[in-house]
Amino acid sequence: MTDEAKELFLADRVRALATVLLTRRDDLSIAETKQSTGLDLHVYIDREDKPMRLAFGVLLRGVASPMTADTANKVLGPTMGQFQGMRKFTYPVCLFFFTMRDEKAYFSWLAEPVLNGGAPKLVHQSRADCVELTDNLLGQVVERIVGWYDAVEAVLIA
Amino acid sequence: MGIADFIGGRGQAIAYAHLSRVCRDDDLPYFWPHFLGEKCETFDFLVELVDAGEKTPFFFVQVKATRKEYTRSQTPARLRVEVAEKDVRRMASFPAPTYVVGVHEEDERAFVDSVHGDMREAIPSITTGHELTNESLKRLWDEVREFWQARDMTRPTSHFLN
């Protein structure tokens, strides 16, 4: 396999792995993503009781060899640099990082949803802070995003 | 393009993840599947063998996914997915190796079943006897490679020369 083919293969595989992970939840649907956004996926959270469309973006990366979260943080330096070069996002964005050999997944916020005294903000991170991406963690991420959009709704919707 | 253009649904993604597992000593997969999209009626993936020689052997896969329970009365248990008669006929008559990959969506397990020879009847369920594991991936790789090695598909010339 050429190096170029390896990169293309890796991109395909991380996309499949992310799809498997996200589609474990019935409340998430993966939507069309334009290349111009710089992201790999957009995900909608299905909450019929909410007036707003709840979406977050996902950047996907992967490597063949196993690595710890600390090593992943270092390896993701260039990706974080790339992210900083993009325009600021107005919705939460995160990174899924997969290591192929041991089939592990890591999560790091890129545009992290926070509440500052109840006011919704997005903190655009300059460094990766990887934690293991489990179903449990994904659940916490989804709930955090939903909570953030509740705060956005309070500010935005008349 | 939507995610479905790249990978299809959950079942196809699970099948892709299993087929493309990086489990060789050289940190490579045995297979590189390529999603064919909704427009291809019979097959979901064209699957290339990785590092299998000068010419790239390949095979075709139809994915069938289910959330139903496995059968209980047979050993090994069977996955409750069906392959229609017309699909079996089309697959068996294809001049390349063709397989069904059955996926249990909840368990995220995948099982492979060959469609070949003079098979003509619909398949009402598939065996879980050939689960996609590191060992069976290697065995599948060998089988497809041997199929193509036994056939010299080199075209010496063509009408449509430059």
Side-chain angles (χ1 to χ4, degrees):
Chain A
M1 218 180 197
T2 64
D3 286 345
E4 192 192 341
K6 281 180 195 168
E7 286 219 17
L8 290 170
F9 167 77
L10 209 65
D12 283 352
R13 183 162 165 79
V14 298
R15 191 177 284 272
L17 293 174
T19 303
V20 172
L21 215 130
L22 290 163
T23 57
R24 282 180 194 153
R25 294 179 64 99
D26 289 335
D27 62 346
L28 299 181
S29 53
I30 308 173
E32 191 167 325
T33 296
K34 290 187 185 155
Q35 244 184 353
S36 54
T37 63
L39 301 178
D40 294 298
L41 300 175
H42 280 91
V43 183
Y44 290 119
I45 305 170
D46 180 22
R47 292 285 194 273
E48 282 183 8
D49 56 321
K50 307 288 181 189
M52 290 181 67
R53 205 179 219 191
L54 312 185
F56 63 97
V58 183
L59 202 61
L60 300 173
R61 291 291 185 269
V63 292
S65 316
M67 56 181 63
T68 62
D70 282 342
T71 311
N73 290 338
K74 293 188 181 107
V75 159
L76 286 166
T79 298
M80 298 307 291
Q82 241 181 330
F83 180 71
Q84 286 195 289
M86 293 181 196
R87 288 179 158 192
K88 297 286 182 243
F89 286 89
T90 55
Y91 49 86
V93 178
C94 58
L95 170 77
F96 289 179
F97 181 72
F98 295 94
T99 54
M100 303 290 126
R101 189 92 214 168
D102 57 353
E103 305 208 334
K104 263 200 160 149
Y106 293 100
F107 171 92
S108 184
W109 283 113
L110 293 177
E112 182 176 1
V114 298
L115 296 175
N116 243 350
K121 299 278 184 199
L122 281 171
V123 178
H124 285 67
Q125 302 291 354
S126 56
R127 284 191 187 162
D129 183 17
C130 288
V131 291
E132 198 174 335
L133 177 51
T134 58
D135 292 346
N136 215 27
L137 180 80
L138 183 61
Q140 290 168 21
V141 165
V142 168
E143 289 315 309
R144 184 149 166 206
I145 293 171
V146 172
W148 184 82
Y149 273 107
D150 283 344
V152 168
E153 181 201 333
V155 169
L156 209 63
I157 311 290
Chain B
M1 295 180 86
I3 191 73
D5 295 306
F6 292 104
I7 207 74
R10 177 168 169 74
Q12 281 96 342
I14 293 168
Y16 190 106
H18 281 285
L19 284 167
S20 65
R21 201 180 303 160
V22 174
C23 55
R24 284 167 36 163
D25 292 338
D26 51 6
D27 273 358
L28 286 177
Y30 283 108
F31 304 117
W32 187 1
H34 302 281
F35 185 59
L36 293 171
E38 302 295 326
K39 293 194 173 106
C40 183
E41 209 182 320
T42 310
F43 298 112
D44 294 292
F45 293 109
L46 178 152
V47 183
E48 290 183 336
L49 272 60
V50 173
D51 280 13
E54 209 180 270
K55 296 193 172 88
T56 304
F58 60 93
F59 61 99
F60 291 91
V61 162
Q62 182 178 119
V63 176
K64 290 286 185 186
T66 186
R67 288 180 181 243
K68 293 179 188 170
E69 278 184 29
Y70 303 93
T71 64
R72 286 183 205 180
S73 54
Q74 289 137 312
T75 305
R78 299 184 72 82
L79 190 71
R80 295 180 201 267
V81 292
E82 294 172 20
V83 185
E85 182 188 317
K86 77 167 168 51
D87 281 346
V88 172
R89 286 171 181 262
R90 234 181 244 153
M91 290 174 76
S93 63
F94 221 69
T98 59
Y99 299 87
V100 172
V101 170
V103 167
H104 195 279
E105 284 198 3
E106 263 192 65
D107 293 350
E108 295 181 5
R109 293 169 72 189
F111 311 91
V112 66
D113 196 20
S114 173
V115 178
H116 60 270
D118 54 7
M119 291 169 80
R120 291 286 177 268
E121 315 231 319
I123 296 170
S125 64
I126 72 166
T127 179
T128 60
H130 308 301
E131 182 159 8
L132 284 179
T133 62
N134 293 357
E135 290 71 35
S136 64
L137 287 171
K138 172 71 168 71
R139 211 167 301 128
L140 181 60
W141 190 89
D142 287 337
E143 180 170 291
V144 175
R145 190 167 177 236
E146 277 159 29
F147 174 87
W148 289 112
Q149 274 181 339
R151 290 156 179 81
D152 183 2
M153 307 297 283
T154 311
R155 285 190 316 146
T157 189
S158 166
H159 178 81
F160 303 99
L161 296 174
N162 190 3

